[in-house]
Amino acid sequence: MNDVLIILFAANGFDKGAQGLAGAGRRLAGESGGSLRAVVLGEGAETLAQEVARVADAVVVADQAELSEYQPETYLNALAQVCRESKPRAVLLGNDTYSQELTPRLAHRLGGSAAGDGVEVRVDGDALRVGRQVYGGKAHAVLELKKSPAVVWLRARSFAPAAPRETSGDVTRAALDIQADTRTRVVERRREAGGESRLEEARVIVSGGRGIGGPEGFETELRPLAELLGAQLAASRAACDAGWVPPTWQVGQTGKKVTPELYLAVAITGASQHMAGISEAKTIAAINTDPDAPIFKHSRFGIVEDYRKVVPLLREKLKRVLGAGF
Amino acid sequence: MNILVCLKQILDPEVPARDFRVDAARREAEQGSANLVTNIFCENALETALQLRERAGGATITVLSYGRPTAEDSLRKALAMKADAAALVLDEGEGTPDPLNVARVLAAAIKRLGAFDLVMTGREAGDWGAGQTGGLLAEELGLPCVSFVDGIEVEGGRLRLRRQTDTGWELFEATPPVVVTVTNDEHNVPRIPKVRDVMMSYRQPLTKLTPADLGLAADGNDYYEVAELSIPQKETRCDFAGGDTLDEKVEAFARHVVEVTRGM
């Protein structure tokens, strides 16, 4: 079979990531001469499935009681069953926590090959090739996946969305044989403050690094600036590891991969591990005391000054301009 | 409680981009003058294990690596950090083994080394960053897996695992044995071993094995192959805010910000 199957979680809705995933799936299905299928898991899957059906050829709803919320072992069992039935050539997932967790294990269960953090995926003869950053963003690799199916999680938001079809795809409900796996169970689920709106969806991001010097700088300087710009707050790994801000704020190779129109890096040096998280940002701007900081090599504009002097003045100036009909 | 922590030795990820070279023909990074270090997330895993032992008591921690002979240094450092035992499976093959090869070797070694309640890996490595070892290892061992864990508590015979998600965190209850992959957090910054302990660690026993000892043939990569490896060339010309005074500079910077946000 040459079909491409995308995996979506109802809780995330048809966000930019899901749309990008559908777009990537549609192009890959075109290359391999197959159809684009989707499976939607979790409570509320039916609603999302109707939206996805506008861009996919077939959608499977998996929302039975055992799947109402994410449990890794149960979801993995369910997905393995769906894939064994539909026998896709490729299975594509997004870059959320659950997708990253499931990808290698699903590949293993299906006898396939997995890859993660793909920024390109294409058919090359019998093989499937995935492009991704390696060495903390210092190099780019193309991996040739040898086993079938290929199971790949993508940096989904950086892919163009799929165009709607003239007729919607069929929506069917999966009847899966699932035994609850009690070896591991999520017993509590929490959202961090600021975790309500997703960093990955943000159009403007104000981000702070080690040079901010402590949690106060984030609160008294960066937060008011972010509010003024309608921006989300983020941080480098150093600031998160220091405990100044929650780990959910972390941007970089091992944090969030973001795609804003403007990424304002404040007191961030710009180590390659950090840059790996913002390579798809449209415009990067930096405030840093060190003119040789690597961040400036990636910035379209910048200012060499202490952020403590710049930010209050910047807020004042922006308030004046933005207040006048922004 | 028996804990096993997998460690990977990698090229120091802190090597600056201007000193980083790849051998495009071999599709490998060149070591150059860079150091070899233990992958940070593996050390976060070890630190988490050490703290668990300090709190719960009675636990033993075995560290395991699959790598080149130099990986012994990573294991010695782990012993100096007070892991109880160490084992190295020597990678004698050409090139970099793919994630499935690595997981198979680790799984075979783990079965050889004993019965473990908790098998830990880093969430990913700072070199290839595939992020697959933990998941594939769980499948090879037939165990459940929880990823991105940053805290572990023992409660009765069960484990309480806290893990990071995109939007916050989740708390798991798990019945051992289980595989976890560990991510960084303010509480698991790896301790620095004492110089004396590092020296002493070289006198401690260290088990050495080869894949052949574990009954594994040195197969090539049948999972994936690196087809291309290159260094992307992209540099942006930064427009530095100019001016004689701070006010003028910030004014210029602000104009840029407004321009970009208006055009959205």
Side-chain angles (χ1 to χ4, degrees):
Chain A
M1 296 287 274
N2 298 315
D3 295 346
V4 175
L5 177 73
I6 59 172
I7 295 174
L8 298 167
F9 300 97
N12 293 343
F14 204 44
D15 62 4
K16 198 171 152 197
Q19 292 171 35
L21 194 59
R26 172 57 71 196
R27 277 183 296 282
L28 191 64
E31 284 178 33
S32 62
S35 62
L36 174 65
R37 296 163 174 275
V39 54
V40 186
L41 296 119
E43 198 177 347
E46 177 84 52
T47 317
L48 176 56
Q50 297 303 334
E51 279 188 89
V52 179
R54 294 175 54 227
V55 296
D57 301 307
V59 184
V60 172
V61 175
D63 62 353
Q64 60 200 78
E66 299 87 345
L67 299 174
S68 64
E69 55 164 31
Y70 181 78
Q71 298 286 350
E73 305 306 316
T74 315
Y75 267 49
L76 186 57
N77 278 330
L79 285 171
Q81 280 183 47
V82 170
C83 291
R84 282 191 194 110
E85 226 160 85
S86 61
K87 298 187 174 52
R89 173 68 186 86
V91 182
L92 303 181
L93 300 94
N95 56 345
D96 54 281
T97 306
Y98 302 155
S99 294
Q100 295 188 30
E101 175 164 71
L102 293 166
T103 294
R105 301 184 70 195
L106 182 59
H108 193 284
R109 292 215 178 167
L110 301 172
S113 295
D117 202 17
V119 292
E120 56 169 332
V121 53
R122 61 177 196 266
V123 175
D124 189 28
D126 281 344
L128 204 118
R129 290 187 165 206
V130 176
R132 67 189 303 270
Q133 294 183 350
V134 294
Y135 285 94
K138 287 196 273 280
H140 179 85
V142 177
L143 305 177
E144 184 172 314
L145 306 196
K146 296 191 158 181
K147 292 175 185 279
S148 187
V151 184
V152 184
W153 69 265
L154 298 173
R155 211 176 272 204
R157 284 169 189 78
S158 50
F159 289 84
R165 316 285 281 175
E166 276 173 25
T167 51
S168 280
D170 292 333
V171 177
T172 53
R173 183 166 261 111
L176 303 168
D177 173 27
I178 300 169
Q179 273 94 44
D181 189 328
T182 54
R183 292 176 298 173
T184 69
R185 273 204 72 73
V186 181
V187 293
E188 197 181 343
R189 198 166 256 135
R190 275 287 167 83
R191 280 171 178 269
E192 292 280 5
E196 302 83 26
S197 34
R198 314 240 306 274
L199 205 47
E200 293 95 326
E201 302 281 321
R203 301 183 74 194
V204 182
I205 292 175
V206 173
S207 189
R210 192 194 303 273
I212 296 296
E216 310 77 27
F218 280 92
E219 279 311 310
T220 58
E221 300 297 344
L222 300 198
R223 186 178 291 284
L225 177 62
E227 278 166 7
L228 198 57
L229 289 167
Q232 294 269 338
L233 282 166
S236 72
R237 181 179 160 159
C240 294
D241 275 3
W244 300 343
V245 295
T248 44
W249 290 25
Q250 188 181 321
V251 165
Q253 189 193 5
T254 54
K256 304 270 161 68
K257 314 281 168 34
V258 296
T259 56
E261 301 284 322
L262 174 64
Y263 187 86
L264 182 51
V266 187
I268 290 177
T269 315
S272 58
Q273 293 93 319
H274 187 74
M275 302 315 297
I278 58 174
S279 57
E280 309 289 333
K282 202 161 170 199
T283 301
I284 297 170
I287 302 172
N288 205 295
T289 48
D290 176 8
D292 296 322
I295 188 75
F296 287 124
K297 292 202 169 62
H298 303 269
S299 298
R300 225 171 68 201
F301 57 98
I303 182 166
V304 182
E305 276 292 353
D306 187 342
Y307 88 92
R308 292 174 190 83
K309 292 188 199 157
V310 174
V311 173
L313 202 50
L314 180 62
R315 281 206 307 269
E316 216 173 278
K317 289 183 185 296
L318 288 174
K319 222 178 274 173
R320 214 174 303 143
V321 184
L322 303 182
F326 176 67
Chain B
M1 170 158 309
N2 263 332
I3 305 171
L4 183 127
V5 183
C6 298
L7 300 176
K8 184 183 187 186
Q9 188 186 48
I10 60 168
L11 199 65
D12 188 353
E14 301 298 326
V15 58
R18 63 176 179 277
D19 298 332
F20 183 80
R21 307 267 184 284
V22 298
D23 182 333
R26 279 176 50 242
R27 298 182 293 278
E28 297 277 351
E30 288 178 4
Q31 189 181 342
S33 57
N35 294 320
L36 296 171
V37 299
T38 309
N39 176 41
I40 180 66
F41 296 110
C42 300
E43 289 201 325
N44 294 138
L46 176 57
E47 179 60 38
T48 305
L50 292 165
Q51 290 177 18
L52 182 64
R53 186 182 64 185
E54 284 158 11
R55 279 196 309 275
T60 59
I61 300 170
T62 303
V63 287
L64 168 67
S65 188
Y66 172 43
R68 305 286 168 189
T70 52
E72 185 174 335
D73 293 332
S74 284
L75 294 168
R76 296 285 177 198
K77 185 183 176 196
L79 288 170
M81 288 165 77
K82 300 298 176 183
D84 298 291
L88 172 62
V89 184
L90 282 165
D91 175 13
E92 295 164 322
E94 295 280 314
T96 307
D98 68 34
L100 185 59
N101 265 320
V102 172
R104 282 177 178 153
V105 170
L106 292 174
I110 289 168
K111 286 178 191 158
R112 173 71 60 94
L113 290 168
F116 295 94
D117 305 297
L118 181 57
V119 174
M120 304 170 79
T121 70
R123 61 175 281 179
E124 66 186 80
D127 52 1
W128 290 95
Q132 299 200 36
T133 303
L136 294 177
L137 185 56
E139 292 302 305
E140 287 289 322
L141 294 170
L143 296 179
C145 180
V146 179
S147 312
F148 313 116
V149 169
D150 66 8
I152 304 177
E153 299 289 343
V154 182
E155 225 179 57
R158 315 190 75 189
L159 297 167
R160 283 175 85 78
L161 310 168
R162 204 188 97 122
R163 71 100 159 253
Q164 296 175 14
T165 66
D166 303 314
T167 49
W169 50 267
E170 290 172 345
L171 196 63
F172 280 75
E173 269 178 17
T175 310
V178 60
V179 176
V180 304
T181 83
V182 175
T183 192
N184 60 301
D185 163 74
E186 57 179 303
H187 303 295
N188 64 15
V189 177
R191 63 195 64 191
I192 314 277
K194 295 193 187 86
V195 176
R196 189 186 129 80
D197 288 335
V198 174
M199 280 155 45
M200 294 294 287
S201 73
Y202 281 83
R203 293 190 203 161
Q204 285 174 258
L206 187 145
T207 306
K208 284 187 188 166
L209 299 161
T210 63
D213 294 337
L214 297 167
L216 296 169
D219 289 336
N221 288 337
D222 63 352
Y223 187 70
Y224 67 53
E225 199 77 72
V226 180
E228 293 165 29
L229 182 66
S230 60
I231 296 180
Q233 300 300 330
K234 67 168 184 195
E235 263 190 24
T236 316
R237 250 186 65 106
C238 182
D239 186 355
F240 285 101
D244 297 329
T245 63
L246 177 71
D247 192 81
E248 282 175 28
K249 281 163 104 180
V250 176
E251 179 73 33
F253 190 82
R255 265 204 305 276
H256 274 301
V257 172
V258 170
E259 200 179 294
V260 171
T261 49
R262 278 220 169 118
M264 286 186 341

